[in-house]
Amino acid sequence: LPEITAPVPEGTNRVTAGAIIQPAVASPGDSITVIVKVRIAPGHWIYALENSGSRNQPTALETQYEGEPLRPAGPWRGPEPKIKGDGSRIYASEAIFQRRFLLASPAKETIRKLPVTIKYQVCNEALCWPPATISVEPVLRVARSR
């Protein structure tokens, strides 16, 4: 995977994220992948996508895009979660999420931001914090049709 910058979690900032789009330049008809890296402070975890096996909020990623030219080409996919003793499914340390999109035609040559919101609930052995969100905005350069 390419390098994705996400700050080191510290202090009360227990979860951080960064995102990129691959390839960074695409033309109408191309498929792109949005890759989100989530970093989790040591001793903490967030819950898996969808069925987390817990009453706590599962992790969810939402993409805000205004119609064309991007269309989702599949769901968000994440790493295989770890199973805790209570049966809950979690991510610890770091998790990489990916989703493919199709760059529809026609599209003018432009720079597009693709806002992504990560919803999660972070916990440690002592307590869980209220659900929270992080937003990232990877950038795509749309080139002319080939």
Side-chain angles (χ1 to χ4, degrees):
L1 282 173
E3 183 63 32
I4 302 170
T5 303
V8 174
E10 58 185 4
T12 60
N13 198 13
R14 295 167 192 90
V15 178
T16 62
I20 61 168
I21 296 176
Q22 286 293 108
V25 178
S27 296
D30 288 350
S31 176
I32 63 164
T33 302
V34 177
I35 306 168
V36 177
K37 176 180 178 178
V38 175
R39 295 179 73 178
I40 305 149
H44 294 75
W45 61 84
I46 61 175
Y47 291 89
L49 294 171
E50 296 155 6
N51 181 13
S52 66
S54 170
R55 290 193 313 260
N56 292 329
Q57 179 173 318
T59 298
L61 290 91
E62 296 176 357
T63 310
Q64 288 89 29
Y65 56 93
E66 306 247 340
E68 298 295 333
L70 295 170
R71 288 194 309 239
W76 282 101
R77 301 194 185 284
E80 189 63 35
K82 297 176 182 172
I83 309 294
K84 288 189 55 67
D86 65 1
S88 60
R89 300 167 63 231
I90 64 160
Y91 304 122
S93 182
E94 183 177 292
I96 304 290
F97 301 96
Q98 299 183 37
R99 187 174 191 186
R100 289 187 50 231
F101 289 84
L102 178 65
L103 184 58
S105 183
K108 62 182 180 180
E109 196 166 335
T110 185
I111 302 291
R112 303 256 337 199
K113 290 183 179 179
L114 186 62
V116 178
T117 301
I118 305 113
K119 296 179 178 185
Y120 64 93
Q121 186 166 15
V122 64
C123 298
N124 65 19
E125 291 297 338
L127 58 104
C128 291
W129 285 265
T133 62
I134 297 175
S135 294
V136 292
E137 286 190 335
V139 174
L140 170 69
R141 190 173 135 241
V142 178
R144 286 190 198 152
S145 299
R146 292 182 206 133

